[in-house]
Amino acid sequence: MDLILGRFADIEISGLSDADLAEFERLLEVPDPDLYAALTGDTPLAPEYASTLFDRIKAFRAVDHDV
């Protein structure tokens, strides 16, 4: 999860609003196996963590970006 979230943050962090940053910090609290399963579509993310930011992270592909 560090690689996935880290690459997303490296590229997107400067464009995140304060609300998005707070949501990003909340997502970091989700246990890695649960967050990974939600990102890969194996299980839904708990409703209290579901957000447009999560959708952005899920759609993010680090290989599409020069990091």
Side-chain angles (χ1 to χ4, degrees):
M1 287 313 314
D2 291 343
L3 291 173
I4 294 169
L5 296 177
R7 287 188 179 260
F8 176 84
D10 286 344
I11 293 168
E12 301 288 335
I13 199 98
S14 65
L16 296 180
S17 68
D18 289 343
D20 286 338
L21 288 172
E23 185 59 32
F24 189 77
E25 289 178 5
R26 282 181 33 120
L27 286 172
L28 294 175
E29 297 172 3
V30 177
D32 284 354
D34 297 342
L35 188 55
Y36 185 78
L39 286 171
T40 60
D42 290 341
T43 61
L45 186 64
E48 64 267 23
Y49 295 106
S51 66
T52 56
L53 180 65
F54 174 77
D55 294 338
R56 282 177 62 189
I57 294 169
K58 189 172 180 179
F60 181 80
R61 299 288 184 261
V63 294
D64 295 339
H65 306 278
D66 293 327
V67 179

